[in-house]
Each structure stands twice: as C-alpha cells, then as structure tokens.
Amino acid sequence: MSTTETNQPELLQAIDKAQKDGKLTESAVQNITAWLTEDRYADYRDVVAQHIRDEKWQKLDDVFWTIIPFGTGGRRGRMYEIGSNAINDRTIGESAQGLADYVVQHVGGDDLSCAIAYDTRHKSRHFAELCAGIMVAAGFKVYFLDDYRATPQLSFAVREKNCDCGIMVTASHNPPSDNAVKVYWSTGGQVLPPHDKAIIDKVMSCQDIRVAPFDEALADGRVEIITDEIDTKFIDAAAACRFKGPRDAKILYSPLHGVGAAAVVPLLKRDGFDDVTVYEPHAEPSGDFPNVPGHVSNPENTAVFEKPIEAAKAGGFDVVLATDPDCDRLGVAAPLTTDVQGEWATFNGNQIGAILTQFVLSKAKEAGKLNPQKYVIKTLVTTELIRRIAASFDVRCEGDLLVGFKYIAEVVDREGPDDFLFGTEESHGYLVGQYCRDKDGAVACMLISELAAELKAAGKSMHEYLNDLYRQHGLHRESLVNVFMEGSEGMAAMQRLMAAFRNDPPKSLASIDVAAVRDYQANTTTSIADGSTSPLAGPNGNLIIMDLADEGNYVAVRPSGTEPKVKFYMFTRLSPEQSQDLDQAGKTLDERVASLEADIRAFAQKV
C-alpha cells in the first residue's frame, strides 16, 4: 500500500475542510476524491496528494471543478499534469481509449485503422505517441504523420488510407498553455452525432487505459509513418482545385509559428506562384508563438498582421497571408488600392468568405460548370452575403448549420461532393474540392493568391473587389464580441445568460425593435409583439438568434464549444440602394454595430 493510500483519510479530511472554508467547490471535491480513491487514477495519486499537502487550493479547484468536455472542436483546454478539467495524459488517454472502444464496438472487424497527426505545440508529439499506443493496443493499425503537419492533411490521410477514424493533436489558435485532440470519423470529417455522444459516453466511463509502447509498435509495423506519401498526395489533390488565370503576385506568408509552411509553400509553388516569401520572424515552429502579439497565433486577430504588413509595404508585396498553428484557418491583408506602398487593411472571416465565394463561382461559371444543383455552404453565424452571392449565380446555399466545420463536411456528404463548390464559416475556415472534409488554410491560401494575381492583372485591389460586392448586394457589416466566463462561476453565469435571452430577451437593440427570437435549442421562434411561438426548422443546438425589425439585422448568441466564453455575433445590412455611397453607408453601419455591442454588453452585465 502506498503512502498516499495510507494517508487517504487525512487527505480527504483536508479537502473537505477546504470546501467548508470556501477554497474548493463541491464538484472539485468530488473529482479530487475520485482521483485519490479510484484505481483508474492510481498513477496520479501522489501528485494530487502533494498538491493537497501544499494547499494549492486555487490550482486544485481550477483543474478539478469539472470534467473537460467535448465541444465543437474536440476536447481542448489548458495543460496540467493532473486534473479532470485539464489536458494531461489521463484526459488525452481517456479520449483515445473512448474512441478506440467505440469504433471496436460500432465498426468491429480485424482490420481497423486510425490516422494520427500533431502540430507544433508543447507536448503535441508526446500526446500523439500516447494516442498511437492506445489505438495499437486496441487492435488498430496506426498511420502516423511524423513531424508537424496540418489538420487538413490529417483529414485527407483518413480518407486516403480508408481509416475508420483519426486523431489530430492540436489546440488550433488557442494560447500556448493549451492543447487538445480533435477526433475524426471515417469520412475525414470531425465526429458528428450520434457518434460524438456515444464516444463521450465511452470516454466518461473509461477505467483502464491500455497503451502499447510506441517504439515497439513502430518497429513491428503496427505504426506506419506515412508523412512523405501524404505530403505528395495532399499537394496533388489540393492543387487539382486550382483555377486558370495569371500567377503574377508577390506573396508574403506567415505560418504564425505553426505547421503551415510544409503545406502552403509547396502548394503555391505547384500552382505556379514563384514569388512567395515566408515571413521570417514567424517561421520558427514553436509552441510558445514568441513573435506574435500576446503569444496568440490567431489570424482572426488583426494585431498579428501589423509587422508583416510593414514588411510587405517595404518589400512591394501584393498580399499578406497567415494561417493558424494547425493551418486550417486563413487570415488576409491587402492594400486598399493598387498602391502596395499605400494604406493596408485586413479582412475579417466573413469578408474573406464573401470574396472567395464570388471568385470560386465566377471561375466555375467561366468554365461552364454551374447549374442550379450546385451549392455553397455556410453556417448560421456566417454572413448572409454568401447566400446573396450564390443566388446571383443561380446556385444553392445550404446555410442553416450550427457552428463547426464538421457540419459543413456533413452537408458535402449528404448533398453530394460532385455538386459542392465552396464551404465557408466566419471564423476563417474555407474549403473547395473533394479531397478533404475539414477547413483547409493551404487551399484557401491558393485561392486568395489566384484572386490577388487576377485582380493585379485587372488593375483592381482586393478591397475594391469586395466593395463591388457591397454595391451589388448591399453593405454588410458583422462583428463578434467574446465575453469570457471562466471557472465554475463562469459556467453558471453562462447558463443564466442564455436563459435570460430565451425567457426575457431585450425588447430593442441599437434602437431597433427585436421582432422575434429564434431558439435552436427548443426549435421555436417567438414573436416579441404578441409572445406567440411557432416551430423553427433547422438544426438543434444551443444557439439563439434575435431578429430585429429592420430586415437583415440580427444578433446571434452561443456559448463557445472550446473555450469558457459566450460569443455574440452582430449582423447589420443596408440595401443596395442605400449602399452606393459606401463611405456614408459604412459610417451608418459602424454606428449601428457599436450600438449593438454596447446594448448586448449592458444586457449581459445585468444578468
């Protein structure tokens, strides 16, 4: 019997007293007790015990107050050596074991296989080897992408090797403290219902984690390195999505210290772009993300572009591209006019989605490949400008989707990949082609580079191209506000806030009446005028949309699936007739967006 086991009563008394003194939440005490007393956590008892003896109550509460969940992007959070609410060997191991157990039960057979890849984050390689050992111990053949590789390459590998599932070790654009696993199904898309809930059940009930030594599995062929094979085939498949046109564009590319250079640079070269420079301060693969503001490598953050734009102006570049650490998202900056030494500005995710939708559809039209059966896909919190562009080309827009690119992938398989043209979500995710079932920063880089070259040849800037769309379809302005609510108190506050929007929503926002509330959890629409409800067609999830009386203006609210925050999406629009003077129209909508943000924050603070 270990020292920890002999001292269990003393340790349990200590955490009980800490709860009574208000230093530990009840849920943390329950989870700490489990890690001290249950055999499945035996390897971690001594570390837990030492934290108790050292009275590290705040840390213990942080890492034990809940069980880290599966969200839209998998299981993601801060790394710490112990804790049910942290990323560590136990929580990662449970995730892989739960996946293995479910696939064995649901699929069965003797030739199961899993593809695994990892990014540049701290411990990503360690977690990838751990997952590989668990899958091998469960009877799987593991196809392993050795060295830092992009998430879309993992999705491609699952499909290319006909795997039953896949695991990507990455926390995408989260801070350096975080890591995660994204779990993929045989389609190459992230796991969807009903598989996700069934896998979670297996994860939550996981007792023993069985691990085969990685080196032994590699030596006897149960783990096979496929990096070179997938690199070649992935570039071939992505390059097959290119469009004809000029290739004279000078491109500055930043991988933001992530994996992207291994995919983006060879893909652009294959597509005929000879003048591509990797921005040197962001080139080093590093989980610390040392040279980006706040050490957060997120292309949604305009601050990451400040230094690259300076370099682009000095070097005469036409466009700046940046992908997040696992290279599934794209950010873009370009000069406002054709003067590359003049003023530059970034594009948000909705704007990139709009210009790429226009570009892809116009090139498909040129090639005579459009018909009413063709379709584009977007999520419910992505700009409706996408739908209007699609309608102008007489193609469908599948747009009633919850947040998460896995739902876009689901539509591709449901509606048929042969008619799929383009998929986009506001959080900078984009996809064309049939080779992959997740957003791909590399192929998005290729498309933007093609557009940049075409516009350069035509004597037009990318911002002017977007302005043409606004004049044609009406000016659209969107904004995203994140309200962080961390810890157990934050979770309770999130639940109260969502309940308030459902049961007692604001009567007006930005001095415009709220006409109706769409509740995708109850699948009802409630009229504010008379309180009547009607059925709401669409997906089921924790999303609320408040439609304002002025058509095209609405606010969406949802808890993040990967971080402790509530996300507020503001959507505003003017008609084409009101949008011909874009300067004046822009001022009108900027004021409206600011007013919406202020009203939403005020409402949230009162709850």
Side-chain angles (χ1 to χ4, degrees):
M1 183 177 291
S2 71
T3 304
T4 302
E5 289 173 311
T6 58
N7 290 335
Q8 269 186 12
E10 176 188 331
L11 296 167
L12 293 172
Q13 276 185 335
I15 62 174
D16 183 58
K17 183 177 185 303
Q19 182 189 349
K20 290 175 181 175
D21 292 344
K23 297 175 181 177
L24 287 177
T25 56
E26 181 181 356
S27 57
V29 170
Q30 291 174 351
N31 290 324
I32 294 168
T33 300
W35 281 55
L36 278 175
T37 61
E38 295 181 16
D39 288 344
R40 56 177 164 167
Y41 303 116
D43 291 344
Y44 306 93
R45 283 178 190 158
D46 289 344
V47 180
V48 175
Q50 193 59 52
H51 276 64
I52 295 170
R53 294 188 190 102
D54 294 341
E55 298 186 355
K56 294 182 177 179
W57 303 125
Q58 187 59 58
K59 174 56 71 175
L60 284 167
D61 199 64
D62 287 345
V63 301
F64 278 107
W65 75 267
T66 190
I67 297 173
I68 195 166
F70 271 77
T72 53
R75 204 176 205 191
R76 184 184 304 191
R78 291 180 184 171
M79 290 180 280
Y80 199 68
E81 59 184 331
I82 56 170
S84 55
N85 186 43
I87 292 295
N88 47 54
D89 283 8
R90 177 68 203 188
T91 54
I92 291 287
E94 288 172 347
S95 303
Q97 190 69 61
L99 173 65
D101 291 346
Y102 177 71
V103 175
V104 167
Q105 180 186 65
H106 183 79
V107 179
D110 298 326
D111 57 349
L112 298 174
S113 61
C114 175
I116 297 177
Y118 60 94
D119 71 0
T120 63
R121 287 179 176 274
H122 298 301
K123 299 200 76 172
S124 281
R125 171 60 192 249
H126 167 76
F127 289 140
E129 286 194 12
L130 173 63
C131 290
I134 291 167
M135 301 309 288
V136 166
F140 286 72
K141 169 71 176 281
V142 169
Y143 294 104
F144 200 77
L145 286 167
D146 198 17
D147 204 355
Y148 311 126
R149 286 299 180 268
T151 289
Q153 288 179 279
L154 184 277
S155 172
F156 175 80
V158 170
R159 296 174 61 80
E160 177 65 25
K161 305 303 286 188
N162 295 312
C163 294
D164 299 285
C165 58
I167 297 171
M168 180 71 200
V169 181
T170 177
S172 188
H173 56 281
N174 280 37
S177 58
D178 293 9
N179 216 324
V181 286
K182 294 180 181 179
V183 176
Y184 289 77
W185 200 242
S186 57
T187 59
Q190 290 185 43
V191 173
L192 288 158
H195 302 306
D196 56 352
K197 291 182 174 59
I199 291 169
I200 290 169
D201 289 342
K202 292 289 187 184
V203 171
M204 294 299 108
S205 62
C206 177
Q207 295 293 321
D208 297 327
I209 298 173
R210 302 171 295 280
V211 189
F214 182 83
D215 290 341
E216 290 181 15
L218 183 61
D220 64 25
R222 289 177 294 169
V223 171
E224 180 182 339
I225 305 298
I226 58 166
T227 319
D228 291 344
E229 174 191 353
I230 294 303
D231 281 351
T232 299
K233 291 181 176 178
F234 176 81
I235 297 301
D236 288 345
C241 300
R242 61 183 174 237
F243 295 107
K244 294 179 180 178
R247 294 295 187 266
D248 177 21
K250 190 173 183 180
I251 299 157
L252 184 62
Y253 167 65
S254 167
L256 296 178
H257 296 294
V259 306
V264 172
V265 175
L267 179 58
L268 291 181
K269 183 177 181 181
R270 174 73 65 84
D271 194 30
F273 290 95
D274 298 323
D275 200 348
V276 178
T277 300
V278 176
Y279 181 63
E280 188 59 34
H282 295 170
E284 177 197 2
S286 172
D288 291 321
F289 313 129
N291 295 324
V292 294
H295 306 293
V296 178
S297 288
N298 188 350
E300 298 178 66
N301 179 11
T302 58
V304 306
F305 283 94
E306 290 174 1
K307 295 294 186 182
I309 286 174
E310 288 179 13
K313 284 183 178 181
F317 288 87
D318 297 304
V319 66
V320 174
L321 309 176
T323 53
D324 65 341
D326 65 326
C327 194
D328 62 354
R329 299 170 191 253
L330 168 70
V332 180
L336 293 181
T337 67
T338 55
D339 178 10
V340 297
Q341 261 126 29
E343 187 178 352
W344 284 57
T346 59
F347 297 87
N348 65 37
N350 283 307
Q351 292 170 330
I352 298 169
I355 60 179
L356 284 180
T357 300
Q358 175 71 23
F359 177 64
V360 169
L361 297 190
S362 64
K363 299 303 281 188
K365 183 177 181 180
E366 282 178 21
K369 294 181 178 179
L370 289 189
N371 63 62
Q373 294 305 115
K374 301 289 185 180
Y375 63 94
V376 300
I377 315 172
K378 75 175 196 72
T379 65
L380 280 160
V381 298
T382 301
T383 178
E384 283 290 284
L385 181 55
I386 306 298
R387 193 185 300 276
R388 294 183 173 97
I389 293 169
S392 72
F393 284 92
D394 196 25
V395 301
R396 294 184 291 143
C397 177
E398 297 285 336
D400 290 339
L401 279 69
L402 296 176
V403 175
F405 216 88
K406 60 186 180 181
Y407 297 110
I408 292 177
E410 182 182 33
V411 172
V412 172
D413 287 322
R414 186 188 73 215
E415 298 295 319
D418 289 343
D419 288 326
F420 170 60
L421 293 165
F422 184 64
T424 178
E425 62 178 0
E426 55 77 34
S427 55
H428 292 246
Y430 316 101
L431 181 67
V432 292
Q434 302 184 18
Y435 64 96
C436 183
R437 290 295 185 275
D438 207 349
K439 52 190 177 287
D440 182 6
V443 84
C445 281
M446 182 181 79
L447 294 177
I448 283 287
S449 298
E450 291 178 359
L451 174 59
E454 188 160 289
L455 291 173
K456 183 178 182 179
K460 179 178 286 191
S461 78
M462 208 172 288
H463 290 278
E464 291 166 345
Y465 185 76
L466 176 62
N467 288 340
D468 288 345
L469 293 177
Y470 287 149
R471 292 189 185 93
Q472 180 181 355
H473 302 289
L475 181 60
H476 293 62
R477 279 275 197 277
E478 295 85 20
S479 176
L480 171 64
V481 170
N482 293 308
V483 177
F484 283 86
M485 298 179 170
E486 300 200 27
S488 54
E489 292 181 2
M491 179 62 71
M494 262 193 263
Q495 292 170 348
R496 288 196 304 271
L497 184 58
M498 295 303 292
F501 279 114
R502 287 189 166 94
N503 302 322
D504 189 20
K507 300 298 185 289
S508 68
L509 292 168
S511 301
I512 305 173
D513 288 343
V514 176
V517 175
R518 286 181 269 162
D519 182 353
Y520 285 87
Q521 189 160 276
N523 288 112
T524 58
T525 298
T526 301
S527 168
I528 299 302
D530 59 14
S532 62
T533 62
S534 57
L536 172 64
N540 181 260
N542 197 3
L543 170 69
I544 295 166
I545 296 179
M546 290 169 284
D547 291 307
L548 306 187
D550 193 342
E551 185 183 358
N553 295 265
Y554 54 100
V555 176
V557 187
R558 60 176 280 268
S560 170
T562 55
E563 297 174 85
K565 64 186 179 183
V566 174
K567 305 183 85 166
F568 300 94
Y569 306 81
M570 266 63 68
F571 298 86
T572 65
R573 178 186 181 247
L574 294 174
S575 69
E577 293 75 23
Q578 297 169 302
S579 303
Q580 297 311 300
D581 183 346
L582 283 175
D583 287 339
Q584 184 57 47
K587 290 176 184 176
T588 298
L589 290 191
D590 286 344
E591 291 174 2
R592 187 176 300 174
V593 166
S595 183
L596 284 173
E597 289 184 1
D599 288 353
I600 283 290
R601 287 187 186 276
F603 183 85
Q605 287 172 354
K606 287 192 298 184
V607 174

